[in-house]
């Protein structure tokens, strides 16, 4: 199999990775990034500049990889994404569950009443029940008369998905698959043990914060909040009266999620708006702007976790990923709010050029490519996930991708 290309189109940047997937993971051959200017809170609002960003990132990755990219697997984000739990029931046809029965029961489960403007993105099996036997992960071959599936379904607004595919087409790419960005990130950063024991993956990007809760090896809850690192930058720009681009640099260089513990006398240089002179301000002032916003984001996440009903099922704690997870001290603030162990998740399973993507901001792109290898082959053979029904984390959306053309 040749190389697979993935495009993670985020509010902050378009990120392309190209690599070959085998049982050990991804051997990267190319990476390309470009600032993304056409998205707001995860959703494309300007086609032309989005296409330009995609083309730039693709061209950079092509140069590095020395190949042409014609097809991609891509991510989708935004607060229009919804996760719901559903279930389906069918009669077992020949006294023993077959792969056809499993397909039918998943179809039954996905047949939730969908408004006309929404589409199913993923059908993620949680467990199967055969007659009265619950908690079955591998139903095929088990005898019974009644097969039931519990699933987590992720739906997206059709228009948002359509615009994403249109932008890729205009950039000269055909789209093999569209995946929820945070689910892809989960593939790249979580361990099977974490998914099993229970974990909250929190992907904090530039425009959105995504939450995916796992327990018993499968997705139990997912949600997207329209808040991210861009809001920190905007708060800094307003609070320190400095241009947004300078606020972004200051955040990355001096930003800290906790104001306590910073030297009272430490100071930072802050460029002014217009041609006024730069000012010297206490470092504390910067961190006093950042801290409440970070706390606000985590409080909203905590509310979502409460809503999920799984707050007592997160034995492996919380994993933070996405570019904002690079903010100094953020894990500390998260631990204070969630009262759970927190770690920062950078992509695993990269076997070549790994230092190029050793950052939480590449998690979704690497996850897409791991699953992209799966898409190209019918059976997933990679080490990261067992090839069980539940390991098969995503349902292909190819039918509705085809509907677009
Ligand atoms: N060192 C750093 N400290 C703090 N924030 C950082 C740092 N590096 C990057 N960021 C922030 O990470 C964010 C970008 O993260 P990421 O690339 O995951 O977002 P995205 O996927 O483009 O956006 P989204 O997923 O929200 O649509 C930006 O807001 C950026 O300011
Ligand atoms: Mg993102």
């Amino acid at each position: 199999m040749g190389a697979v290309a993935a495009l993670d189109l985020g509010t902050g940047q378009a990120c392309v990775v190209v690599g070959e997937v085998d049982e050990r993971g991804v051997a990267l051959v190319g990476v390309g990034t470009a600032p993304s200017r056409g998205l707001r809170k995860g959703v494309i609002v300007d086609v032309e500049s989005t296409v330009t960003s995609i083309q730039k990132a693709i061209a950079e990755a092509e140069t590095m990889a020395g190949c042409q990219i014609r097809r991609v697997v891509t991510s989708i984000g935004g607060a229009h994404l919804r996760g719901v739990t559903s279930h389906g029931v069918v009669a077992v046809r020949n006294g023993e569950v077959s792969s056809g029965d499993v397909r039918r029961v998943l179809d039954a489960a996905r047949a939730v009443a969908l408004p006309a403007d929404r589409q199913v993105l993923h059908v993620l099996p949680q467990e199967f029940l055969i007659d009265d036997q619950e908690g079955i992960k591998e139903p095929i071959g088990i005898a019974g008369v009644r097969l039931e599936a519990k699933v987590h379904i992720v739906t997206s607004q059709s228009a948002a998905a359509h615009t994403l595919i249109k932008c890729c087409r205009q950039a000269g790419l055909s789209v093999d698959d569209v995946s929820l960005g945070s689910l892809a990130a989960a593939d790249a950063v979580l361990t099977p043990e974490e998914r099993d024991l229970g974990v909250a993956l929190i992907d904090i990007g530039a425009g959105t914060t995504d939450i995916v809760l796992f327990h018993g090896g499968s997705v139990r809850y997912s949600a997207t909040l329209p808040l991210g690192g861009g809001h920190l930058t905007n708060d800094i720009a307003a609070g320190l009266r400095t241009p947004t681009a300078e606020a972004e640099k200051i955040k990355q260089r001096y930003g800290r999620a906790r104001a306590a513990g910073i030297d009272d006398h430490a100071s930072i240089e802050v460029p002014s708006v217009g041609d006024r002179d730069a000012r010297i301000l206490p470092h504390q002032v910067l961190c006093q702007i950042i801290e409440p916003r970070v706390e606000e984001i985590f409080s909203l996440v905590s509310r979502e976790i409460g809503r999920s009903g799984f707050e007592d099922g997160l034995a492996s704690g919380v994993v933070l990923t996405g570019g904002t997870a690079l903010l100094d001290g953020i894990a500390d603030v998260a631990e204070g709010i969630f009262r759970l162990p927190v770690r920062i998740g950078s992509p695993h399973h990269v076997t070549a050029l790994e230092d190029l993507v050793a950052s939480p901001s590449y998690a979704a792109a690497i996850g897409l490519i791991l699953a992209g290898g799966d898409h190209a082959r019918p059976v997933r053979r990679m080490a990261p996930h067992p090839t069980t029904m539940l390991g098969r984390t995503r349902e292909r959306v190819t039918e509705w991708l085809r509907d677009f053309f």
Side-chain angles (χ1 to χ4, degrees):
M1 193 189 78
V4 178
L7 164 68
D8 174 31
L9 187 61
T11 313
Q13 65 174 13
C15 174
V16 174
V17 294
V18 191
E20 301 213 16
V21 184
D22 65 17
E23 20 320 285
R24 294 183 311 127
V26 191
L28 270 194
V29 294
V31 179
T33 57
S36 152
R37 309 231 178 272
L39 278 85
R40 198 161 298 146
K41 297 179 184 175
V43 174
I44 298 168
V45 292
D46 178 342
V47 169
E48 204 175 308
S49 40
T50 301
V51 171
T52 309
S53 300
I54 296 174
Q55 283 170 330
K56 273 195 194 146
I58 289 278
E60 198 178 301
E62 284 180 333
T63 306
M64 186 167 166
C67 69
Q68 274 208 326
I69 299 169
R70 289 273 164 265
R71 333 176 58 85
V72 287
V73 288
T74 183
S75 65
I76 190 164
H80 60 94
L81 293 154
R82 301 247 184 290
V84 291
T85 299
S86 172
H87 75 121
V89 187
V90 294
V92 176
R93 284 219 168 115
N94 292 314
E96 189 177 282
V97 176
S98 67
S99 56
D101 294 323
V102 171
R103 213 170 307 122
R104 282 190 302 117
V105 81
L106 293 180
D107 281 344
R110 73 181 287 161
V112 284
L114 268 187
D117 63 342
R118 299 191 70 79
Q119 266 155 329
V120 174
L121 201 60
H122 299 283
V123 178
L124 308 165
Q126 294 174 336
E127 62 165 328
F128 296 91
L129 295 85
I130 299 173
D131 301 339
D132 290 329
Q133 182 69 47
E134 308 178 326
I136 297 170
K137 301 207 172 188
E138 289 285 359
I140 294 173
I142 297 179
V145 293
R146 178 182 188 275
L147 173 66
E148 183 172 350
K150 288 191 179 159
V151 299
H152 184 77
I153 293 182
V154 180
T155 69
S156 113
Q157 205 179 57
S158 310
H162 195 163
T163 308
L164 168 65
I165 291 165
K166 182 168 109 178
C167 288
C168 290
R169 300 281 290 197
Q170 289 190 12
L173 303 167
S174 65
V175 176
D176 283 339
D177 200 6
V178 178
S179 181
L180 177 64
S182 48
L183 203 55
D187 273 350
V189 306
L190 297 182
T191 66
E193 294 73 31
E194 283 172 332
R195 293 162 194 259
D196 224 41
L197 290 173
V199 67
L201 180 88
I202 307 176
D203 174 351
I204 319 177
T208 63
T209 294
D210 293 78
I211 305 143
V212 188
L213 303 188
F214 290 83
H215 189 85
S218 49
V219 175
R220 302 293 161 170
Y221 189 81
S222 64
T224 299
L225 303 172
L227 268 177
H231 297 84
L232 299 177
T233 305
N234 291 342
D235 288 351
I236 295 167
L240 301 185
R241 280 175 281 121
T242 190
T244 310
E246 297 297 340
E248 179 69 37
K249 281 190 215 154
I250 291 171
K251 179 180 80 173
Q252 294 199 17
R253 186 171 308 164
Y254 304 111
R256 271 181 64 174
R258 270 240 187 283
I262 290 177
D263 184 351
D264 282 344
H265 306 291
S267 57
I268 56 171
E269 187 178 314
V270 179
S272 295
V273 191
D275 24 340
R276 269 172 249 140
D277 290 342
R279 290 149 298 147
I280 305 292
L281 296 176
H283 192 190
Q284 282 277 1
V285 171
L286 169 68
C287 302
Q288 282 159 1
I289 295 173
I290 296 175
E291 183 169 340
R293 184 62 107 168
V294 171
E295 284 177 343
E296 182 198 359
I297 294 175
F298 286 137
S299 303
L300 292 170
V301 170
S302 181
R303 207 161 72 185
E304 287 294 331
I305 294 176
R307 211 174 269 170
S308 77
F310 273 89
E311 69 262 58
D312 297 328
L314 303 174
S316 292
V318 171
V319 177
L320 301 180
T321 193
T324 300
L326 290 167
L327 180 69
D328 195 14
I330 194 166
D332 200 30
V333 173
E335 279 183 350
I337 292 186
F338 298 121
R339 310 230 159 264
L340 287 167
V342 177
R343 73 170 179 93
I344 306 297
S346 290
H348 297 152
H349 322 304
V350 184
T351 57
L353 300 179
E354 57 269 41
D355 44 322
L356 289 185
V357 293
S359 150
S361 54
Y362 289 101
I366 296 297
L368 284 171
I369 209 166
L370 285 167
D374 177 36
H375 178 70
R377 310 166 182 209
V379 182
R380 174 178 221 153
R381 281 193 297 262
M382 285 169 330
H385 312 291
T387 51
T388 61
M389 280 310 300
L390 300 187
R392 200 193 65 169
T393 47
R394 50 202 75 227
E395 160 108 344
R396 297 294 145 208
V397 289
T398 22
E399 309 101 75
W400 63 261
L401 287 178
R402 231 177 279 129
D403 291 347
F404 282 131
F405 307 104

